[in-house]
Amino acid sequence: MNIRTRILSALAAAAVLAGNVSSLPTGMTASAAAPDYAEALQKSLFFYECQQAGPLPDWNRVEWRADSTMIDEIKGGWYDAGDHVKFNLPMAYSAAMLGWSVYEDREAYEESGQLEYALEDIKWVTDYLMRCHTDDHVFYYQVGDGGTDHSWWGPAEVMTMNRPSYCVTDSAPGSAVTAEASAALAIGSIIFAR
């Protein structure tokens, strides 16, 4: 048994033992057949749709999600993984990397039927990043507070707390987050021009 087969078998066994799945995911068999990359790509993009904040777009495929955090100063963007904070640095990085993957291998997205969703995900974030740039001297880099948001163990759809927004300004600079947002916007402009 090669190392890849052993790893896939161990992951599948661990998931079944943990009770997280009752059977192997589509595309994965005990004999470790060739992985279904199109399905993996679809599930990766679906993750971003699960993280969408604000008024959800019509193309969102997550049936159990609804509009959320509608009282935020800046609506939209993605929540950061397991909480409801919107951190622009990892969000912009993710959008930039997703954009570069479309730029480098657009055909794979087309062949898998996922190009439309990848472009929508990128647009979702780049539109949000543009809304975060409220004037020439202000860029919002975070909505929500880690401590407060981590104490909320409910769905984002029913969260009603007023959440703070944090920004970089001339007197409080933040070159990393503004540069990453610029990178996401730059690759977005390239792939949408094609």
Side-chain angles (χ1 to χ4, degrees):
M1 187 181 308
N2 67 31
I3 188 71
R4 186 172 142 249
T5 302
R6 286 191 305 226
I7 290 171
L8 288 173
S9 296
L11 289 173
V16 171
L17 288 174
N20 292 332
V21 294
S22 58
S23 63
L24 295 172
T26 304
M28 181 188 291
T29 64
S31 64
D36 185 343
Y37 291 112
E39 182 183 11
L41 180 60
Q42 182 274 327
K43 288 180 178 178
S44 296
L45 294 173
F46 191 78
F47 169 81
Y48 290 119
E49 292 173 47
C50 291
Q51 301 306 103
Q52 287 180 330
L56 294 182
D58 292 338
W59 54 266
N60 183 293
R61 299 173 284 182
V62 185
E63 296 175 8
W64 49 268
R65 289 297 314 273
D67 296 350
S68 59
T69 56
M70 295 299 290
I71 60 173
D72 280 354
E73 183 173 359
I74 303 166
K75 293 172 187 54
W78 289 328
Y79 297 120
D80 187 65
D83 59 32
H84 303 110
V85 181
K86 295 185 283 189
F87 294 109
N88 286 14
L89 184 60
M91 184 189 320
Y93 176 81
S94 297
M97 293 299 100
L98 185 56
W100 275 112
S101 72
V102 169
Y103 177 78
E104 292 288 330
D105 206 358
R106 191 178 193 102
E107 297 76 27
Y109 282 91
E110 289 171 348
E111 289 173 18
S112 67
Q114 298 303 307
L115 179 62
E116 167 192 353
Y117 297 107
L119 294 174
E120 292 287 6
D121 282 328
I122 295 163
K123 185 175 184 323
W124 180 260
V125 171
T126 54
D127 285 351
Y128 171 77
L129 293 172
M130 287 188 285
R131 285 192 299 276
C132 288
H133 187 228
T134 57
D135 69 42
D136 288 342
H137 303 280
V138 177
F139 178 75
Y140 285 89
Y141 65 88
Q142 180 178 327
V143 176
D145 173 71
T148 305
D149 280 66
H150 290 158
S151 68
W152 170 256
W153 284 82
E157 289 81 2
V158 298
M159 186 168 57
T160 59
M161 66 179 96
N162 287 319
R163 295 162 13 115
S165 299
Y166 303 93
C167 61
V168 296
T169 63
D170 292 341
S171 59
S175 59
V177 68
T178 54
E180 195 60 59
S182 297
L185 293 169
I187 190 61
S189 71
I190 292 168
I191 62 172
F192 287 117
R194 292 175 99 188

